[in-house]
Amino acid sequence: MAPTAPRRRGRGGRVSNARRGRTASHWGSYLVDTVDDEVVGVTPVPDDPAPSPIGQNYRGNLRGGPRITAPAVRKGWLENRSRKGRGADEFVEVTADEAVELVASELERIGREYGNESIFGGSYGWGSAGRFHHAQSQVHRFLNSIGGYTRSVNTYSHAADEVILPHLVGDRAEFLRSVPSWKEIAEHTQEFVAFGGLPARSTQVNPGGVGAHVNLAGQEAAAQAGVSFTLITPVRTDTVEQLGGQWVPLRPNTDVALMLGLAHTILDAGLADIDFLQRCCVGWERVRAELTGSIDGQAKDARWASEITEVPESVIIDLAHRIGSHRSLIAVTWSLQRQHHGEMAYWAALTLAAMSGSLGLPGGGFGTGYSSMHNAHVWDRLSPAAALPQGKNPVSSFIPVARIADLLLHPGEAFEYNGRTARYPDIRLVYWVGGNPFHHHQDLNRLMRAWEKPDTIVVHEPYWNALAKRADIVFPAATSLEREDFTIGMADNWLSWMDRVADPPPGVVTDYETFAAITTHMGFGETFTEGRSPAQWVERLWDETRSKARSLGFDLPDLETFRRRGSIQLDMPRVAPTAFSSLRRNPQENPLTTPSGRIELYSATIDDFGYADCPGWARWMEPAEWLGGDLARTYPFHLVSPQPDGKLHSQYDHGSESRRHKVDGRTVVRISPEDAARRMVTDDEVVRIFNARGACLAAVRIDTGIRPGVLSLPTGAWYDPVDPAEAGSLDRHGNPNVLTVDIGTSSLAQGPSAHTCLVDLERLDEVPPSVDAHRPPRIHPRPQTPPQSGEPE
């Protein structure tokens, strides 16, 4: 829809500029009202039956507060190129031309003296929705146009999954297209076993957009159809109450032991689908040997699993019999593979599903990510939308995405990844657009030390968050409400137009316009822009989308018609046959793309890598930190850090909906009544959570749905140390990543291990320090002397 722009007379007779338009975000689509370029009203679109309140964070957040309104350079860097002071330094406001010249000169110097592999292009896929104004695509296209950069591979969300699944099932994308949908589950599934639970908060969001929130309705329809749910998680309140079901509050990080105990019980009871295991899988004999103890002398029976997980032996035996005698679906959340040895959780779950007798049958088998985002297994994953071309990167160096601190701290050192050995390049410049490593990375105090290593850090941001405060050169960026675009979510069935409902503050432009200015200064402008304005790029991408849609059987209107309509719903039902059904029918005629053509319960490929922390079959491996280990005597709580309720990751942490979930501006930590009584804390009291890596403050909320010995502190609070110049300083806002461990899941995937974390908790008896996370740094006017050049200190 085209934005309306009536003029209203304000106080004193002043004429104000009022607009209404449509926008789309990772948390849904909304009608947005602005007056004088500030959001005054947010209304969900009528097509959304269960809209997310996250959209209310837009209100009052385009002008003022932590908004960045002009390019700024850190004072220490501007005066003498000092690396010290990131996070604590003041900034100097400069003109756009000066900032462009500084960045262009620095990029040219780094490329000339060290090569483009010394430039790291940081970004993350959860930047603003939009097909053209997509931060990750923009920064990668920009860096490719000037000669390339060191990149990252995989995602923080499911890095271990992305690496392990191709080894086990072959084509990962095809597998994800065919796991049972909620509709199929309601029709065919009898037992739904959810390892990690079904976190309802995550169904608010979806990469690229959500046209209509229907995931929870699908879950509830399955429950009403008679599906029995078993929720295996230390946090019951993650899942909607309407599902009912059995709660199994196991020790965190022991899911693999429980899966193997269930598998052993199924085998011992004669319920294993030996025919499927022998015809459609490789490695069954190795699995049998692991379960029976022939390999290490320890049978992985229910008693063994009970001792590790603290789940009663009788509960394990009963659940195993239900799995083996009913149409069952073994589901795992993404959170399970974000722990030490996280690859094993998926491998053990697939093994259990293969033994159950349900793999390859409608509504049965194995699935990942249910509830980890809205559109996991709701609609077909095919997308008709075009994307901004990123060009070719001539630089081959890379890192696994969660190894950013290792990259900066250990240049030249070797690392293992998925069967290959590579080396960390010597990074001299970090260019970050979209995403916030001081939100999503682990062990932020270690990252603080690593952040001092590069010569220069350049950031584009709309707001003065923790990343912007720790940059050397900051470009202000227009928000998604201040530009035109269109979007479609991953596996979503709605194409949505995004109006420009406000003008950005004077001098603030889009990422694209900043990149165009820098590349023009460097002589690569035509390579980057191809002579197109943002509006011309949007039109080109829409034309390509129409062409792609025609090939998929959809007829889309011209851009102007689409703009007026505002949204288009596509008919995208799940039509792929149930995962592994063709394999079950005839494995010779329907092979997978694995080396064997079958499901690899044992992978000779992975075994040949020789990784001590990731053998070639599913095994229980004790994590670095867990409640059954010696460290628990010092730090007796296991910390889980789920997604927040009132925002996506750290976006709009300063918004009204985000603040609604805090207490006096501080993040809430959930604790069981038993633990609260032992530590003598009550609701809303401020506590200090700590371990050897760091400490933070949080407000208490007592929750009967939390297992004793477990704390739940959501992510997303803008990092706010009392002394921003000191690594290890107390975070006063409640960011769990000052506590989490920065180690890879294993040598195979090197994914994040955020959910492997032990801590202690104590009541804070003194007055807590105020939260300053949303306060901008001190900014000085531009000095008259020109910036110095040369090597950094």
Side-chain angles (χ1 to χ4, degrees):
M1 62 179 286
T4 58
R7 300 181 64 80
R8 299 177 181 172
R9 193 164 298 278
R11 292 182 178 180
R14 183 177 65 87
V15 175
S16 62
N17 178 23
R19 300 187 230 181
R20 162 170 275 207
R22 181 186 179 110
T23 197
S25 68
H26 302 303
W27 45 88
S29 293
Y30 304 87
L31 301 176
V32 178
D33 292 293
T34 61
V35 173
D36 292 338
D37 299 313
E38 184 56 275
V39 178
V40 297
V42 180
T43 306
V45 296
D47 299 311
D48 194 342
S52 167
I54 292 177
Q56 299 304 320
N57 283 326
Y58 288 132
R59 295 173 63 97
N61 273 319
L62 293 184
R63 301 296 176 110
R67 188 71 196 268
I68 304 174
T69 57
V73 183
R74 187 172 59 82
K75 193 169 184 287
W77 188 93
L78 186 65
E79 292 175 346
N80 54 28
R81 298 301 191 266
S82 173
R83 300 187 186 102
K84 303 293 184 180
R86 288 171 181 149
D89 239 349
E90 299 170 349
F91 281 80
V92 176
E93 192 171 289
V94 300
T95 67
D97 288 343
E98 288 172 318
V100 165
E101 183 175 358
L102 284 170
V103 171
S105 298
E106 192 66 355
L107 286 166
E108 289 171 340
R109 181 185 74 83
I110 297 296
R112 181 176 62 252
E113 297 181 10
Y114 303 102
N116 276 45
E117 74 167 13
S118 290
I119 301 170
F120 179 72
S123 186
Y124 209 54
W126 286 106
S128 299
R131 301 306 295 179
F132 172 64
H133 294 289
H134 179 243
Q136 191 175 69
S137 298
Q138 292 279 347
V139 69
H140 291 172
R141 179 180 176 86
F142 163 70
L143 292 173
N144 286 336
S145 73
I146 65 169
Y149 65 103
T150 291
R151 72 194 193 282
S152 63
V153 298
N154 304 130
T155 65
Y156 279 85
S157 294
H158 41 77
D161 155 3
E162 291 172 291
V163 176
I164 190 68
L165 280 181
H167 288 288
L168 308 185
V169 302
D171 188 328
R172 178 177 177 271
E174 188 61 30
F175 163 71
L176 293 175
R177 282 193 68 199
S178 57
V179 300
S181 66
W182 283 114
K183 182 176 183 295
E184 183 180 333
I185 291 165
E187 294 173 351
H188 299 284
T189 308
Q190 295 172 297
E191 294 286 337
F192 190 106
V193 183
F195 285 92
L198 291 166
R201 62 170 62 88
S202 298
T203 65
Q204 296 181 90
V205 301
N206 193 67
V210 186
H213 288 83
V214 297
N215 188 301
L216 293 183
Q219 295 185 29
E220 293 170 16
Q224 292 168 4
V227 178
S228 174
F229 286 87
T230 302
L231 308 168
I232 302 173
T233 170
V235 185
R236 171 64 178 87
T237 45
D238 274 354
T239 306
V240 294
E241 294 181 1
Q242 289 88 331
L243 300 188
Q246 178 186 17
W247 178 31
V248 180
L250 82 173
R251 271 177 172 166
N253 283 204
T254 65
D255 302 82
V256 171
L258 179 56
M259 293 170 187
L260 296 181
L262 292 167
H264 181 281
T265 304
I266 287 173
L267 176 64
D268 192 55
L271 297 173
D273 188 351
I274 302 298
D275 173 69
F276 181 84
L277 293 164
Q278 292 178 336
R279 288 190 309 111
C280 301
C281 306
V282 294
W284 164 237
E285 292 307 319
R286 183 69 61 98
V287 170
R288 187 200 295 267
E290 175 69 34
L291 295 177
T292 58
S294 298
I295 294 177
D296 60 2
Q298 173 63 63
K300 311 308 183 297
D301 57 17
R303 178 174 297 179
W304 168 85
S306 178
E307 291 175 356
I308 294 171
T309 64
E310 293 190 338
V311 175
E313 185 178 352
S314 60
V315 172
I316 298 173
I317 293 172
D318 177 68
L319 179 58
H321 279 262
R322 298 204 313 268
I323 291 172
S325 56
H326 295 85
R327 183 68 56 84
S328 58
L329 178 60
I330 309 300
V332 288
T333 63
W334 293 348
S335 61
L336 259 65
Q337 47 88 62
R338 292 197 295 267
Q339 58 182 253
H340 198 201
H341 309 303
E343 296 90 345
M344 290 293 147
Y346 277 36
W347 211 336
L350 179 62
T351 300
L352 176 60
M355 294 178 63
S356 71
S358 296
L359 199 61
L361 298 176
F366 166 66
T368 70
Y370 288 97
S371 275
S372 293
M373 67 178 190
H374 177 271
N375 285 350
H377 321 313
V378 176
W379 308 109
D380 199 320
R381 293 178 65 87
L382 286 176
S383 173
L388 179 68
Q390 297 181 17
K392 184 177 181 181
N393 187 356
V395 174
S396 61
S397 56
F398 76 98
I399 63 164
V401 68
R403 303 272 59 81
I404 176 66
D406 288 349
L407 166 72
L408 299 179
L409 289 169
H410 304 297
E413 289 192 13
F415 66 90
E416 296 295 323
Y417 171 76
N418 201 16
R420 59 186 290 193
T421 302
R423 293 190 178 276
Y424 295 120
D426 182 10
I427 297 300
R428 296 293 177 138
L429 185 145
V430 173
Y431 207 124
W432 210 291
V433 182
N436 177 2
F438 285 90
H439 151 66
H440 59 243
H441 196 68
Q442 282 65 64
D443 195 348
L444 294 184
N445 291 306
R446 183 171 186 257
L447 182 62
M448 280 276 289
R449 293 187 284 271
W451 214 243
E452 293 184 348
K453 300 300 183 180
D455 296 352
T456 304
I457 297 172
V458 185
V459 165
H460 297 196
E461 272 292 338
Y463 301 104
W464 282 109
N465 62 14
L467 173 63
K469 292 175 182 177
R470 285 160 181 78
D472 299 319
I473 304 173
V474 180
F475 286 101
T479 71
S480 59
L481 300 179
E482 298 162 337
R483 62 200 187 203
E484 287 190 338
D485 209 339
F486 70 95
T487 192
I488 185 172
M490 180 184 294
D492 199 42
N493 65 334
W494 287 86
L495 280 158
S496 299
W497 176 251
M498 302 169 66
D499 284 315
R500 176 171 169 156
V501 296
D503 294 331
V508 175
V509 297
T510 64
D511 295 324
Y512 176 79
E513 291 166 292
T514 296
F515 287 139
I518 297 171
T519 52
T520 297
H521 193 284
M522 297 177 70
F524 300 105
E526 183 66 25
T527 302
F528 177 74
T529 68
E530 298 182 17
R532 293 186 178 90
S533 67
Q536 289 169 328
W537 269 111
V538 171
E539 185 173 3
R540 173 187 159 175
L541 293 181
W542 179 252
D543 289 342
E544 291 179 0
T545 296
R546 293 181 71 193
S547 177
K548 185 177 178 182
R550 279 193 295 272
S551 70
L552 296 173
F554 302 115
D555 186 20
L556 299 179
D558 60 64
L559 183 60
E560 188 54 39
T561 302
F562 173 47
R563 188 197 309 262
R564 289 195 303 269
R565 289 174 58 178
S567 65
I568 298 172
Q569 185 178 19
L570 305 177
D571 184 17
M572 294 174 60
R574 293 287 302 273
V575 295
T578 302
F580 311 117
S581 56
S582 298
L583 181 75
R584 173 179 277 276
R585 186 171 60 253
N586 191 319
Q588 284 71 40
E589 292 184 2
N590 303 289
L592 305 177
T593 56
T594 57
S596 65
R598 294 183 284 172
I599 297 169
E600 303 227 340
L601 303 183
Y602 165 78
S603 169
T605 300
I606 293 178
D607 210 25
D608 287 346
F609 292 160
Y611 296 148
D613 55 359
C614 188
W617 65 99
R619 301 198 77 182
W620 153 250
M621 306 184 74
E622 189 170 332
E625 299 181 11
W626 71 298
L627 292 175
D630 293 339
L631 191 62
R633 288 196 288 268
T634 304
Y635 301 112
F637 293 98
H638 194 117
L639 180 73
V640 296
S641 45
Q643 290 298 315
D645 286 295
K647 58 183 179 287
L648 169 62
H649 294 300
S650 66
Q651 294 184 37
Y652 291 100
D653 181 53
H654 54 297
S656 59
E657 177 62 16
S658 173
R659 296 196 309 269
R660 190 174 68 83
H661 294 272
K662 301 182 182 185
V663 174
D664 294 330
R666 231 176 294 272
T667 307
V668 166
V669 60
R670 296 185 178 274
I671 186 172
S672 73
E674 298 92 329
D675 289 330
R678 279 193 288 268
R679 293 306 170 97
M680 294 183 292
V681 296
T682 59
D683 277 345
D684 298 343
E685 278 193 291
V686 176
V687 293
R688 176 176 173 263
I689 309 169
F690 62 96
N691 60 20
R693 289 179 289 273
C696 69
L697 302 181
V700 166
R701 186 61 43 81
I702 299 171
D703 190 337
T704 58
I706 300 285
R707 182 191 192 276
V710 174
L711 303 176
S712 179
L713 180 66
T715 63
W718 286 4
Y719 177 48
D720 189 28
V722 171
D723 183 352
E726 179 186 351
S729 179
L730 174 71
D731 173 73
R732 50 197 156 185
H733 196 191
N735 188 316
N737 278 328
V738 301
L739 304 163
T740 52
V741 62
D742 186 16
I743 59 174
T745 51
S746 79
S747 302
L748 183 74
Q750 295 283 9
S753 299
H755 292 294
T756 296
C757 180
L758 292 183
V759 300
D760 202 354
L761 175 147
E762 62 184 10
R763 186 173 61 193
L764 190 73
D765 291 326
E766 65 265 26
V767 176
S770 62
V771 175
D772 287 341
H774 305 143
R775 181 177 297 173
R778 186 177 180 186
I779 302 174
H780 295 274
R782 177 71 170 94
Q784 298 304 308
T785 56
Q788 299 179 19
S789 61
E791 287 290 333
E793 289 184 344

